[in-house]
Amino acid sequence: QLSQLRELNFMYSNVASLPPDIGQLHELRILNVERNGLDSLPPVIGQLSQLQQLYLGANDLTFIPPEIGNLHQLCIPQLPYSEFQHLPNELGQLEQLAATRCRLDLEGVTLISPPEEVIAQGKVAILAYLRNQTAWHMQRIVLGIAAGLGLLALLVLGFWWKYRPSQKKKKR
């Protein structure tokens, strides 16, 4: 039964894409799709809840889906020589990845985010940067909502002031 499969190795197999059914492999611990020319990962990759090692290097990936943040057991994401320019912020939420025995391989990857000076500081700095990016985006959303509500309140008060019932002062 394939649903009990623990290791899947497609290295050098000319696999162009991963089927959506890969999300059904709930016991999968190791997935190696290095050197295949993959240009995308299906979001169902996030359903591989037991995945510990993910080898994606030397593919044509330009994007890593945020669902990778669901892989709470992930300890070894190997991403060398890939085409993407941004690591998903969700990667920073993977507490297991912060463990000393775990590693993050970004050799040969030219990233915009995180910036080079963060990458030079190592895995812990990269994960902290990604966590802070998530917090920063949430803060921007909250501030945007607050600003919108403030503007709405100002408009309501402006209309109320303009169209308020006029009160005439009585002379004594």
Side-chain angles (χ1 to χ4, degrees):
Q1 175 113 348
L2 287 178
S3 64
Q4 299 302 312
L5 192 66
R6 291 179 175 255
E7 183 173 344
L8 189 55
N9 188 339
F10 284 129
M11 187 174 187
Y12 290 108
S13 298
N14 293 321
V15 174
S17 64
L18 294 176
D21 293 350
I22 198 162
Q24 303 292 324
L25 303 177
H26 299 290
E27 297 301 316
L28 196 64
R29 306 278 197 279
I30 301 170
L31 176 60
N32 187 342
V33 290
E34 286 188 313
R35 302 182 184 277
N36 276 294
L38 284 176
D39 60 2
S40 67
L41 279 178
V44 296
I45 196 86
Q47 295 175 9
L48 302 176
S49 60
Q50 298 302 312
L51 197 64
Q52 298 169 2
Q53 299 177 29
L54 178 60
Y55 299 90
L56 298 173
N59 280 295
D60 298 328
L61 295 172
T62 57
F63 174 77
I64 297 176
E67 288 81 3
I68 198 168
N70 296 335
L71 304 178
H72 298 289
Q73 302 300 317
L74 190 61
C75 182
I76 303 177
Q78 298 296 301
L79 311 169
Y81 304 103
S82 295
E83 302 294 323
F84 54 87
Q85 296 180 331
H86 302 273
L87 288 179
N89 294 336
E90 291 78 6
L91 202 59
Q93 305 305 318
L94 299 179
E95 293 176 16
Q96 181 72 21
L97 188 53
T100 306
R101 65 181 175 80
C102 296
R103 63 185 185 273
L104 175 62
D105 185 356
L106 298 170
E107 184 179 347
V109 179
T110 305
L111 292 171
I112 294 172
S113 175
E116 191 174 312
E117 57 271 11
V118 173
I119 294 169
Q121 295 175 42
K123 176 184 69 173
V124 174
I126 293 169
L127 297 175
Y129 174 88
L130 295 172
R131 279 191 301 276
N132 289 338
Q133 286 295 307
T134 300
W136 182 79
H137 286 293
M138 288 303 294
Q139 183 182 31
R140 298 233 7 190
I141 290 170
V142 169
L143 288 175
I145 291 170
L149 289 173
L151 183 60
L152 181 63
L154 187 61
L155 287 171
V156 168
L157 283 173
F159 279 115
W160 177 81
W161 182 259
K162 184 175 182 177
Y163 297 109
R164 73 184 187 284
S166 58
Q167 297 177 358
K168 296 181 180 180
K169 294 183 180 181
K170 295 180 182 179
K171 291 186 180 182
R172 291 184 188 198

